[in-house]
Amino acid sequence: MNIGIFDSGVGGLTVLKKIVELMPEYEYVYLADTARAPYGDRSQERVIEFTRQGVSYLMTEKKCALVILACNTASAYALRTLQQEWLPAHFPDRRILGIIIPTAEYIAEKKAAAPIAIIGTRGTVASKVYEKEIEKRVSPLPRLLTQPCPMLVPLIEEGWHTSTPARMIVKKYLRPLKDKQIKTLVLGCTHYPLMAPMIKQVMGNNVRIIDPGSAVAHSLKTYLERHVQIEKKLSKKTRIHWLSTDVSDRTRAVFSRFWKTPQEIKRISLE
Ligand code: DGL
C-alpha cells in the first residue's frame, strides 16, 4: 500500500519534499486538486467536500493506507470532520493525518518563544485551529497572533515571490507582527517556504521562522514507528506518482517552481 499526499495544488510539494528527504523508501502518491485550487478563500463546506473526494480517491484507486493532508486550509477545515465522521464509516483501517497538529507539537517540544504569530490563508486563520492546537499543548498560554496573507499564494505561483512588489506586500502584512515584537513566526501555508528568505529578511534575525514541513516529516516517521501494523503494509519502492485534477502548461510551470526534477503528471477527475 501507498502513502497519499493531498493538497489543493502545488504547495504540498514543500511538505512532500521534507517527507521524501527523511523517508525516501516508500511509495508516495501526490494528488493536487489544481482544477479547484486555491482552497484558501473557500467555505469550510466546500473544503470538506473537495478534501473528502481527494482522500477517497487516494484510498480507493491508489491503495493509500494513510493520507497526509499537506495543506493547511484542508487540515484546518476538513481533518477533524473526516477523521471523526467519514473515515470510520468508509475506511476504518486507514488513517488521515494533517499538518497543524505536528506543528503545534513541535512548537511545544521546542518551547518556541512567544509571542508566536501564524500567517496563512484566510481559511486557516479564520478556523483558529493553530491557536486551538497550540493552546492544548503549551502552558502557560503563549501570546498568539495571526495574520492572513492571501496575496502571497498568487505571487508565488506567478514566480514573483522574489520581486520588489512582493517585498512591499510582505512588509505590509508583517508590519503589525513586527510591531508586536513577535519571537516566532509559523509559515501556516504550504506556499510560504518559497518566500522564507524574504520573510526572514523582513522580520530580522531575532524571529524564529517555523516551516511545518520538517515537523510533519518527523512526526510521520514517529507515527510509522509506533504503528507497525500500518508500516508493514507499505510498499517500499522509492517512488512518487503524480496526479492532478488539471494538467496544463501553467500547472507544469508552477509544479517546476516547487519541484525541480520534471515529473509525468497524470490527470484525474474527482467529481
Ligand atoms: N495549500 C494551501 C494551504 O496551505 C495554500 C493554497 C490554497 O489556498 O489552496 O493553505
PDB file of all heavy atoms in Angstrom, residues 7-12 36-41 70-74 99 120-121 124 153 157 188-191, ligand 1:
ATOM      1  N   ASP A   7      -3.114  17.794  -1.551  1.00  0.00           N
ATOM      2  CA  ASP A   7      -3.097  19.260  -1.395  1.00  0.00           C
ATOM      3  C   ASP A   7      -4.059  19.877  -2.399  1.00  0.00           C
ATOM      4  O   ASP A   7      -4.391  19.268  -3.416  1.00  0.00           O
ATOM      5  CB  ASP A   7      -1.679  19.825  -1.621  1.00  0.00           C
ATOM      6  CG  ASP A   7      -1.631  21.347  -1.433  1.00  0.00           C
ATOM      7  OD1 ASP A   7      -2.350  21.864  -0.560  1.00  0.00           O
ATOM      8  OD2 ASP A   7      -0.897  22.015  -2.182  1.00  0.00           O
ATOM      9  N   SER A   8      -4.451  21.113  -2.125  1.00  0.00           N
ATOM     10  CA  SER A   8      -5.280  21.849  -3.077  1.00  0.00           C
ATOM     11  C   SER A   8      -4.527  22.029  -4.398  1.00  0.00           C
ATOM     12  O   SER A   8      -5.132  22.160  -5.452  1.00  0.00           O
ATOM     13  CB  SER A   8      -5.632  23.222  -2.498  1.00  0.00           C
ATOM     14  OG  SER A   8      -4.448  23.918  -2.164  1.00  0.00           O
ATOM     15  N   GLY A   9      -3.219  22.079  -4.331  1.00  0.00           N
ATOM     16  CA  GLY A   9      -2.438  22.289  -5.558  1.00  0.00           C
ATOM     17  C   GLY A   9      -0.992  21.899  -5.365  1.00  0.00           C
ATOM     18  O   GLY A   9      -0.693  20.774  -4.977  1.00  0.00           O
ATOM     19  N   VAL A  10      -0.119  22.862  -5.609  1.00  0.00           N
ATOM     20  CA  VAL A  10       1.320  22.558  -5.616  1.00  0.00           C
ATOM     21  C   VAL A  10       2.024  22.785  -4.276  1.00  0.00           C
ATOM     22  O   VAL A  10       3.112  22.279  -4.050  1.00  0.00           O
ATOM     23  CB  VAL A  10       2.046  23.410  -6.681  1.00  0.00           C
ATOM     24  CG1 VAL A  10       1.651  22.977  -8.064  1.00  0.00           C
ATOM     25  CG2 VAL A  10       1.745  24.884  -6.471  1.00  0.00           C
ATOM     26  N   GLY A  11       1.389  23.562  -3.387  1.00  0.00           N
ATOM     27  CA  GLY A  11       2.054  23.927  -2.135  1.00  0.00           C
ATOM     28  C   GLY A  11       2.488  22.728  -1.313  1.00  0.00           C
ATOM     29  O   GLY A  11       3.539  22.748  -0.667  1.00  0.00           O
ATOM     30  N   GLY A  12       1.693  21.672  -1.349  1.00  0.00           N
ATOM     31  CA  GLY A  12       2.010  20.467  -0.580  1.00  0.00           C
ATOM     32  C   GLY A  12       3.339  19.849  -0.970  1.00  0.00           C
ATOM     33  O   GLY A  12       3.883  19.007  -0.233  1.00  0.00           O
ATOM     34  N   ARG A  36      -9.396  23.015  -8.794  1.00  0.00           N
ATOM     35  CA  ARG A  36     -10.270  23.749  -7.857  1.00  0.00           C
ATOM     36  C   ARG A  36      -9.474  24.594  -6.861  1.00  0.00           C
ATOM     37  O   ARG A  36     -10.035  25.137  -5.915  1.00  0.00           O
ATOM     38  CB  ARG A  36     -11.187  22.752  -7.145  1.00  0.00           C
ATOM     39  CG  ARG A  36     -12.017  21.948  -8.140  1.00  0.00           C
ATOM     40  CD  ARG A  36     -13.007  21.047  -7.492  1.00  0.00           C
ATOM     41  NE  ARG A  36     -12.394  19.931  -6.773  1.00  0.00           N
ATOM     42  CZ  ARG A  36     -13.078  18.884  -6.328  1.00  0.00           C
ATOM     43  NH1 ARG A  36     -14.379  18.825  -6.525  1.00  0.00           N
ATOM     44  NH2 ARG A  36     -12.473  17.905  -5.689  1.00  0.00           N
ATOM     45  N   ALA A  37      -8.145  24.652  -7.050  1.00  0.00           N
ATOM     46  CA  ALA A  37      -7.290  25.467  -6.183  1.00  0.00           C
ATOM     47  C   ALA A  37      -7.435  26.931  -6.596  1.00  0.00           C
ATOM     48  O   ALA A  37      -7.749  27.206  -7.764  1.00  0.00           O
ATOM     49  CB  ALA A  37      -5.842  25.022  -6.323  1.00  0.00           C
ATOM     50  N   PRO A  38      -7.174  27.872  -5.689  1.00  0.00           N
ATOM     51  CA  PRO A  38      -6.811  27.669  -4.290  1.00  0.00           C
ATOM     52  C   PRO A  38      -8.028  27.402  -3.391  1.00  0.00           C
ATOM     53  O   PRO A  38      -9.143  27.755  -3.747  1.00  0.00           O
ATOM     54  CB  PRO A  38      -6.145  28.993  -3.912  1.00  0.00           C
ATOM     55  CG  PRO A  38      -6.776  30.012  -4.821  1.00  0.00           C
ATOM     56  CD  PRO A  38      -7.121  29.289  -6.092  1.00  0.00           C
ATOM     57  N   TYR A  39      -7.762  26.769  -2.254  1.00  0.00           N
ATOM     58  CA  TYR A  39      -8.814  26.487  -1.273  1.00  0.00           C
ATOM     59  C   TYR A  39      -8.929  27.615  -0.238  1.00  0.00           C
ATOM     60  O   TYR A  39      -9.900  27.687   0.487  1.00  0.00           O
ATOM     61  CB  TYR A  39      -8.483  25.207  -0.484  1.00  0.00           C
ATOM     62  CG  TYR A  39      -8.719  23.891  -1.178  1.00  0.00           C
ATOM     63  CD1 TYR A  39      -9.088  23.807  -2.520  1.00  0.00           C
ATOM     64  CD2 TYR A  39      -8.587  22.702  -0.463  1.00  0.00           C
ATOM     65  CE1 TYR A  39      -9.288  22.575  -3.129  1.00  0.00           C
ATOM     66  CE2 TYR A  39      -8.799  21.469  -1.054  1.00  0.00           C
ATOM     67  CZ  TYR A  39      -9.149  21.403  -2.385  1.00  0.00           C
ATOM     68  OH  TYR A  39      -9.354  20.179  -2.964  1.00  0.00           O
ATOM     69  N   GLY A  40      -7.893  28.454  -0.181  1.00  0.00           N
ATOM     70  CA  GLY A  40      -7.733  29.409   0.924  1.00  0.00           C
ATOM     71  C   GLY A  40      -8.895  30.345   1.185  1.00  0.00           C
ATOM     72  O   GLY A  40      -9.116  30.757   2.312  1.00  0.00           O
ATOM     73  N   ASP A  41      -9.680  30.683   0.144  1.00  0.00           N
ATOM     74  CA  ASP A  41     -10.809  31.598   0.341  1.00  0.00           C
ATOM     75  C   ASP A  41     -12.143  30.876   0.237  1.00  0.00           C
ATOM     76  O   ASP A  41     -13.200  31.506   0.198  1.00  0.00           O
ATOM     77  CB  ASP A  41     -10.767  32.726  -0.716  1.00  0.00           C
ATOM     78  CG  ASP A  41      -9.703  33.761  -0.371  1.00  0.00           C
ATOM     79  OD1 ASP A  41      -9.435  33.950   0.836  1.00  0.00           O
ATOM     80  OD2 ASP A  41      -9.129  34.359  -1.303  1.00  0.00           O
ATOM     81  N   ALA A  70      -1.538  17.620   3.133  1.00  0.00           N
ATOM     82  CA  ALA A  70      -0.375  18.520   3.088  1.00  0.00           C
ATOM     83  C   ALA A  70      -0.838  19.907   2.669  1.00  0.00           C
ATOM     84  O   ALA A  70      -0.309  20.520   1.740  1.00  0.00           O
ATOM     85  CB  ALA A  70       0.674  17.976   2.133  1.00  0.00           C
ATOM     86  N   CYS A  71      -1.857  20.394   3.351  1.00  0.00           N
ATOM     87  CA  CYS A  71      -2.483  21.676   3.042  1.00  0.00           C
ATOM     88  C   CYS A  71      -3.023  22.217   4.356  1.00  0.00           C
ATOM     89  O   CYS A  71      -3.773  21.514   5.047  1.00  0.00           O
ATOM     90  CB  CYS A  71      -3.624  21.445   2.051  1.00  0.00           C
ATOM     91  SG  CYS A  71      -4.628  22.911   1.717  1.00  0.00           S
ATOM     92  N   ASN A  72      -2.627  23.419   4.697  1.00  0.00           N
ATOM     93  CA  ASN A  72      -3.085  23.980   5.972  1.00  0.00           C
ATOM     94  C   ASN A  72      -4.592  24.201   5.978  1.00  0.00           C
ATOM     95  O   ASN A  72      -5.265  23.923   6.960  1.00  0.00           O
ATOM     96  CB  ASN A  72      -2.375  25.313   6.240  1.00  0.00           C
ATOM     97  CG  ASN A  72      -0.927  25.112   6.602  1.00  0.00           C
ATOM     98  OD1 ASN A  72      -0.604  24.951   7.769  1.00  0.00           O
ATOM     99  ND2 ASN A  72      -0.051  25.087   5.620  1.00  0.00           N
ATOM    100  N   THR A  73      -5.114  24.709   4.857  1.00  0.00           N
ATOM    101  CA  THR A  73      -6.547  25.018   4.814  1.00  0.00           C
ATOM    102  C   THR A  73      -7.369  23.727   4.946  1.00  0.00           C
ATOM    103  O   THR A  73      -8.345  23.681   5.709  1.00  0.00           O
ATOM    104  CB  THR A  73      -6.890  25.763   3.507  1.00  0.00           C
ATOM    105  OG1 THR A  73      -5.947  26.828   3.326  1.00  0.00           O
ATOM    106  CG2 THR A  73      -8.282  26.329   3.544  1.00  0.00           C
ATOM    107  N   ALA A  74      -6.964  22.667   4.244  1.00  0.00           N
ATOM    108  CA  ALA A  74      -7.676  21.387   4.355  1.00  0.00           C
ATOM    109  C   ALA A  74      -7.512  20.797   5.762  1.00  0.00           C
ATOM    110  O   ALA A  74      -8.458  20.258   6.334  1.00  0.00           O
ATOM    111  CB  ALA A  74      -7.166  20.409   3.301  1.00  0.00           C
ATOM    112  N   ILE A  99      -1.415  18.638   9.019  1.00  0.00           N
ATOM    113  CA  ILE A  99      -0.090  19.233   9.250  1.00  0.00           C
ATOM    114  C   ILE A  99      -0.079  20.255  10.382  1.00  0.00           C
ATOM    115  O   ILE A  99       0.982  20.733  10.761  1.00  0.00           O
ATOM    116  CB  ILE A  99       0.512  19.859   7.957  1.00  0.00           C
ATOM    117  CG1 ILE A  99      -0.371  20.953   7.378  1.00  0.00           C
ATOM    118  CG2 ILE A  99       0.765  18.793   6.939  1.00  0.00           C
ATOM    119  CD1 ILE A  99       0.274  21.629   6.161  1.00  0.00           C
ATOM    120  N   GLY A 120      -1.148  32.666   7.273  1.00  0.00           N
ATOM    121  CA  GLY A 120      -1.751  31.625   6.438  1.00  0.00           C
ATOM    122  C   GLY A 120      -2.823  32.198   5.538  1.00  0.00           C
ATOM    123  O   GLY A 120      -2.950  33.417   5.386  1.00  0.00           O
ATOM    124  N   THR A 121      -3.623  31.290   4.967  1.00  0.00           N
ATOM    125  CA  THR A 121      -4.729  31.740   4.114  1.00  0.00           C
ATOM    126  C   THR A 121      -5.843  32.287   5.017  1.00  0.00           C
ATOM    127  O   THR A 121      -5.840  32.074   6.235  1.00  0.00           O
ATOM    128  CB  THR A 121      -5.308  30.584   3.285  1.00  0.00           C
ATOM    129  OG1 THR A 121      -5.885  29.617   4.187  1.00  0.00           O
ATOM    130  CG2 THR A 121      -4.254  29.917   2.418  1.00  0.00           C
ATOM    131  N   THR A 124      -7.475  29.271   6.900  1.00  0.00           N
ATOM    132  CA  THR A 124      -6.689  28.740   8.019  1.00  0.00           C
ATOM    133  C   THR A 124      -6.772  29.681   9.216  1.00  0.00           C
ATOM    134  O   THR A 124      -6.999  29.247  10.345  1.00  0.00           O
ATOM    135  CB  THR A 124      -5.213  28.544   7.581  1.00  0.00           C
ATOM    136  OG1 THR A 124      -5.205  27.600   6.515  1.00  0.00           O
ATOM    137  CG2 THR A 124      -4.348  28.041   8.715  1.00  0.00           C
ATOM    138  N   VAL A 153       0.057  33.593  -2.083  1.00  0.00           N
ATOM    139  CA  VAL A 153      -0.057  32.380  -2.922  1.00  0.00           C
ATOM    140  C   VAL A 153      -0.005  32.746  -4.416  1.00  0.00           C
ATOM    141  O   VAL A 153       0.827  32.201  -5.164  1.00  0.00           O
ATOM    142  CB  VAL A 153      -1.313  31.545  -2.556  1.00  0.00           C
ATOM    143  CG1 VAL A 153      -1.621  30.502  -3.616  1.00  0.00           C
ATOM    144  CG2 VAL A 153      -1.124  30.874  -1.201  1.00  0.00           C
ATOM    145  N   GLU A 157       2.900  31.615  -7.102  1.00  0.00           N
ATOM    146  CA  GLU A 157       2.567  30.805  -8.283  1.00  0.00           C
ATOM    147  C   GLU A 157       2.935  31.518  -9.583  1.00  0.00           C
ATOM    148  O   GLU A 157       3.233  30.875 -10.588  1.00  0.00           O
ATOM    149  CB  GLU A 157       1.079  30.424  -8.260  1.00  0.00           C
ATOM    150  CG  GLU A 157       0.786  29.510  -7.081  1.00  0.00           C
ATOM    151  CD  GLU A 157      -0.424  28.626  -7.271  1.00  0.00           C
ATOM    152  OE1 GLU A 157      -1.158  28.801  -8.249  1.00  0.00           O
ATOM    153  OE2 GLU A 157      -0.607  27.733  -6.414  1.00  0.00           O
ATOM    154  N   GLY A 188       2.175  29.184   8.108  1.00  0.00           N
ATOM    155  CA  GLY A 188       0.995  28.331   8.121  1.00  0.00           C
ATOM    156  C   GLY A 188       0.301  28.207   6.782  1.00  0.00           C
ATOM    157  O   GLY A 188      -0.922  28.112   6.707  1.00  0.00           O
ATOM    158  N   CYS A 189       1.064  28.201   5.725  1.00  0.00           N
ATOM    159  CA  CYS A 189       0.550  27.975   4.372  1.00  0.00           C
ATOM    160  C   CYS A 189       1.675  27.287   3.616  1.00  0.00           C
ATOM    161  O   CYS A 189       2.839  27.710   3.705  1.00  0.00           O
ATOM    162  CB  CYS A 189       0.178  29.291   3.704  1.00  0.00           C
ATOM    163  SG  CYS A 189      -0.202  29.105   1.957  1.00  0.00           S
ATOM    164  N   THR A 190       1.314  26.240   2.888  1.00  0.00           N
ATOM    165  CA  THR A 190       2.333  25.402   2.258  1.00  0.00           C
ATOM    166  C   THR A 190       3.202  26.133   1.232  1.00  0.00           C
ATOM    167  O   THR A 190       4.298  25.686   0.919  1.00  0.00           O
ATOM    168  CB  THR A 190       1.648  24.226   1.545  1.00  0.00           C
ATOM    169  OG1 THR A 190       0.600  24.770   0.729  1.00  0.00           O
ATOM    170  CG2 THR A 190       1.090  23.238   2.533  1.00  0.00           C
ATOM    171  N   HIS A 191       2.684  27.268   0.687  1.00  0.00           N
ATOM    172  CA  HIS A 191       3.476  28.000  -0.314  1.00  0.00           C
ATOM    173  C   HIS A 191       4.594  28.823   0.311  1.00  0.00           C
ATOM    174  O   HIS A 191       5.595  29.115  -0.339  1.00  0.00           O
ATOM    175  CB  HIS A 191       2.590  28.978  -1.091  1.00  0.00           C
ATOM    176  CG  HIS A 191       1.729  28.353  -2.136  1.00  0.00           C
ATOM    177  ND1 HIS A 191       0.807  27.387  -1.856  1.00  0.00           N
ATOM    178  CD2 HIS A 191       1.649  28.577  -3.472  1.00  0.00           C
ATOM    179  CE1 HIS A 191       0.188  27.053  -2.968  1.00  0.00           C
ATOM    180  NE2 HIS A 191       0.687  27.753  -3.970  1.00  0.00           N
TER     181      HIS A 191
HETATM  182  N1  DGL B   1      -2.168  24.676   0.278  1.00  0.00           N
HETATM  183  C1  DGL B   1      -2.877  25.834   0.802  1.00  0.00           C
HETATM  184  C2  DGL B   1      -2.596  25.981   2.290  1.00  0.00           C
HETATM  185  O1  DGL B   1      -1.584  25.543   2.810  1.00  0.00           O
HETATM  186  C3  DGL B   1      -2.483  27.107   0.083  1.00  0.00           C
HETATM  187  C4  DGL B   1      -3.068  27.236  -1.292  1.00  0.00           C
HETATM  188  C5  DGL B   1      -4.575  27.321  -1.306  1.00  0.00           C
HETATM  189  O2  DGL B   1      -5.146  28.328  -0.833  1.00  0.00           O
HETATM  190  O3  DGL B   1      -5.178  26.364  -1.766  1.00  0.00           O
HETATM  191  O4  DGL B   1      -3.408  26.546   2.987  1.00  0.00           O
END
